[in-house]
Amino acid sequence: MGRRFEFVYILDFIPKLLGYLQITLFIVAASVVLGLVVGLIVALPRMYNIPVLKRLSVIYVSFFRGTPILIQLFLIYYGLPELLKGISIDVSKVPVLAFVIFTYALHSGAFISEAIRAAVGAVDRGQVEAAYAIGMSGFEAFTRIVLPQAVAISLPVFANVVIANLKDTSLAFTLGAMEMTGKSQTLGLTTQHFIEVYISLSLIYFVVSVILERLFQLAERRMLRYQPELASTPSRKRQLPRLLLPQFKKGGEQA
Amino acid sequence: MIKLTGIKKSFGKQEVLKGIDLTVEQGDVVAILGPSGSGKTTLLRCINYLERPNDGEVAIHQFKVDCKRASKQDIHTLRQKTAMVFQNYNLFKHKTALENVMEGLVIVQKLPKQKARELAVQALEKVGLGNKLNEYPSRLSGGQQQRVGIARALALNPEIILFDEPTSALDPELVGEVLAVIRKIAGEGITMIIVTHEMAFARDVASHVVFMDDGVVVEEGPPHQLFGTPKEERTRQFLKRSIQEWSYSI
């Protein structure tokens, strides 16, 4: 396959691919922000035990956690327009990117809703009672006492969702979305240097993942500063091996 | 004056409070004693509606709430007039000692931050934690955490402070510092109800002692009377058991 391996192509491809990094990051950011909204909405019926909606949210979560993201992409990209045609809405002009973001938002929303549910459950009931006892309303108690702690607790899971999402966006090229992986396909085809382009591509994903991982670690340390065992900054010696060997997990699975 | 009339509460089929009447005068320190499961804590939690009573009336001065018809606003007002100190402290873990005390002042009483801070510092100094203002609860001992809990209640300047077994979760060597703080604020004329297992403390500090068993008030009176010459057999039994427990030596 292709031409003889030439190292110089790796360096040559990196800047070309980097031009498309912003699209990849845009997909990640947009879908995670939407996913947060979706996740919160979906988590609420289960936290407050609302009969029918609770069922629906369970079905939604198990579907998006239990099917491959690639199939979800196909279902939404090819299936949704057909469905909408039935109620005479034409989405043929909607860009591919919108479908991609929509799918990833629903996908990460499922994981995020589980993370939110677990984290809210982890804030002990006693603190809520204390908030009520000093005269706070349910809303004040939730936003001022429960939510900040829940966000801090769910941050590691959230980080996993974001990083998993980053890597999953590479599948968007199957729909013809021109993000980094999509670009690597065309670069590979035109130059016939496939191995080099994939090496460049994986380098970029790797570095971006590590940077995200580090940022989340910093945020976590800051948000959990009220927990001494996490707040105390470990020495540089201990940090370094972790930087070199980041641990990637599929989002939300340990929640 | 706090007046409870005919308070009843059931959890499912189990009737935990079977119609409790209790009057607490201004400046009283009322100790509620009784075996576990007698409904002491539930009664306390009914006063600020952490448990909703099934029947009865809670009155704080002129403000009366019929438990069957209590509105959200009624409950809110009751909670603003009362403060509670919990067995497990229940401090806000993501806030410092100072922020814990300021929270109610700023969010509920809507005081300006500067004023709230002043009051919070005063309250923390009163419980002997003037040097721990910016510590998070996780860095404080149990006794210190409970003292922050007391400062949080105190700063709100409530009509009454409800203490729910404030020393039960503490290591024995930390009980003293918390009791000393409660004793100190009791001496300042703050009205309080204390659910406790500390007999000696109840005898020394309380102005009125209530003995509860099985969802009813069995006997009440001034401490010298209740501890010295209890009228009811159940009270005698309970005191005998509790006093024997103290005399164990290791």
Side-chain angles (χ1 to χ4, degrees):
Chain A
M1 163 179 130
R3 297 189 186 153
R4 209 163 57 85
F5 181 85
E6 280 180 63
F7 182 79
V8 66
Y9 274 99
I10 296 176
L11 302 177
D12 184 43
F13 286 144
I14 285 177
K16 285 182 182 151
L17 289 173
L18 277 178
Y20 290 80
L21 175 61
Q22 48 171 328
I23 297 174
T24 293
L25 291 180
F26 175 70
I27 299 174
V28 174
S31 62
V32 165
V33 169
L34 281 174
L36 268 175
V37 178
V38 172
L40 188 63
I41 292 172
V42 170
L44 286 174
R46 288 178 80 182
M47 290 192 297
Y48 289 96
N49 222 347
I50 305 168
V52 180
L53 293 177
K54 188 178 129 188
R55 255 292 138 77
L56 287 176
S57 93
V58 173
I59 292 169
Y60 159 77
V61 169
S62 63
F63 176 77
F64 276 92
R65 296 215 306 178
T67 52
I69 178 94
L70 188 62
I71 311 300
Q72 293 166 14
L73 273 173
F74 288 162
L75 273 179
I76 286 175
Y77 185 59
Y78 298 113
L80 195 61
E82 290 300 315
L83 215 63
L84 290 175
K85 220 180 271 172
I87 50 171
S88 56
I89 298 174
D90 183 20
V91 286
S92 59
K93 297 257 160 56
V94 176
V96 185
L97 212 56
F99 284 98
V100 170
I101 289 171
F102 185 63
T103 310
Y104 285 110
L106 288 181
H107 181 78
S108 44
F111 287 95
I112 289 170
S113 84
E114 288 294 276
I116 290 175
R117 215 166 54 87
V120 166
V123 179
D124 68 303
R125 177 80 197 146
Q127 291 186 55
V128 178
E129 290 194 340
Y132 287 156
I134 62 175
M136 282 193 190
S137 65
F139 179 76
E140 284 165 342
F142 184 74
T143 52
R144 297 202 47 93
I145 307 301
V146 178
L147 202 59
Q149 293 181 65
V151 168
I153 293 168
S154 61
L155 208 57
V157 180
F158 186 66
N160 288 339
V161 171
V162 172
I163 290 170
N165 208 332
L166 169 75
K167 295 179 292 176
D168 284 346
T169 55
S170 62
L171 293 171
F173 86 92
T174 55
L175 303 185
M178 210 17 115
E179 42 68 72
M180 246 179 0
T181 305
K183 180 65 185 172
S184 76
Q185 292 298 104
T186 54
L187 278 177
L189 280 171
T190 49
T191 60
Q192 291 296 308
H193 283 278
F194 283 101
I195 303 296
E196 294 87 334
V197 79
Y198 290 137
I199 291 174
S200 311
L201 186 63
S202 49
L203 275 174
I204 296 173
Y205 277 119
F206 179 72
V207 169
V208 174
S209 294
V210 172
I211 291 171
L212 283 175
E213 170 115 348
R214 297 300 301 159
L215 287 177
F216 274 110
Q217 271 176 16
L218 287 178
E220 192 185 332
R221 202 162 290 150
R222 165 146 182 82
M223 293 186 81
L224 286 177
R225 64 186 182 279
Y226 58 87
Q227 285 184 4
E229 64 275 23
L230 291 169
S232 55
T233 328
S235 69
R236 287 222 164 265
K237 262 187 197 153
R238 273 173 58 206
Q239 268 179 12
L240 203 60
R242 285 188 69 190
L243 179 101
L244 294 173
L245 292 169
Q247 295 177 323
F248 300 115
K249 296 173 204 108
K250 179 68 179 175
E253 251 142 40
Q254 77 274 50
Chain B
M1 189 182 79
I2 284 82
K3 196 167 160 71
L4 308 178
T5 324
I7 299 288
K8 286 186 185 166
K9 174 72 185 172
S10 305
F11 294 111
K13 283 209 180 88
Q14 200 193 356
E15 198 174 25
V16 181
L17 298 176
K18 300 173 179 168
I20 303 271
D21 299 318
L22 183 68
T23 305
V24 181
E25 299 294 339
Q26 188 78 37
D28 262 2
V29 176
V30 175
I32 303 182
L33 310 177
S36 5
S38 57
K40 310 172 299 253
T41 292
T42 307
L43 177 64
L44 206 63
R45 290 163 60 86
C46 280
I47 299 175
N48 64 356
Y49 270 73
L50 286 184
E51 304 290 353
R52 199 186 171 99
N54 301 117
D55 199 2
E57 187 185 78
V58 177
I60 299 179
H61 297 302
Q62 309 306 323
F63 182 74
K64 290 190 178 124
V65 178
D66 181 340
C67 302
K68 278 188 175 149
R69 280 196 296 271
S71 68
K72 262 193 165 169
Q73 185 55 48
D74 291 337
I75 294 172
H76 183 70
T77 310
L78 268 187
R79 286 177 178 165
Q80 286 203 279
K81 289 178 184 291
T82 58
M84 190 172 228
V85 175
F86 295 85
Q87 182 175 357
N88 296 316
Y89 335 131
N90 289 350
L91 296 184
F92 307 133
K93 292 200 179 74
H94 61 311
K95 294 184 180 293
T96 62
L98 184 66
E99 288 165 347
N100 260 280
V101 181
M102 282 174 65
E103 188 71 10
L105 298 172
V106 175
I107 301 302
V108 179
Q109 300 190 351
K110 316 272 186 224
L111 296 181
K113 274 237 166 92
Q114 194 52 44
K115 178 73 184 159
R117 199 192 144 84
E118 258 170 53
L119 289 173
V121 170
Q122 264 175 32
L124 282 164
E125 276 170 354
K126 189 171 276 176
V127 299
L129 291 174
N131 56 343
K132 300 278 184 194
L133 298 180
N134 298 315
E135 294 287 0
Y136 286 100
S138 57
R139 299 188 47 110
L140 298 173
S141 72
Q144 289 168 335
Q145 288 188 54
Q146 190 57 297
R147 284 190 279 151
V148 175
I150 295 171
R152 180 170 68 182
L154 206 54
L156 296 166
N157 194 24
E159 303 281 352
I160 185 167
I161 302 182
L162 312 168
F163 289 85
D164 182 13
E165 305 194 20
T167 57
S168 300
L170 292 172
D171 291 337
E173 74 268 23
L174 301 176
V175 170
E177 61 184 83
V178 172
L179 291 183
V181 167
I182 300 175
R183 186 191 300 262
K184 180 172 155 194
I185 57 177
E188 291 175 13
I190 292 167
T191 314
M192 47 178 91
I193 301 180
I194 309 175
V195 169
T196 184
H197 292 290
E198 299 285 336
M199 298 296 156
F201 179 75
R203 184 159 48 189
D204 288 356
V205 177
S207 56
H208 193 82
V209 181
V210 175
F211 173 66
M212 272 178 76
D213 193 8
D214 203 23
V216 294
V217 173
V218 176
E219 186 170 356
E220 59 180 308
H224 63 87
Q225 182 194 321
L226 199 119
F227 284 101
T229 53
K231 288 198 223 57
E232 299 288 330
E233 181 56 28
R234 269 198 283 182
T235 318
R236 272 198 288 273
Q237 288 288 332
F238 174 74
L239 290 173
K240 203 172 142 200
R241 252 196 337 264
S242 312
I243 286 162
Q244 268 174 357
E245 275 167 25
W246 306 343
S247 57
Y248 288 165
S249 52
I250 303 167

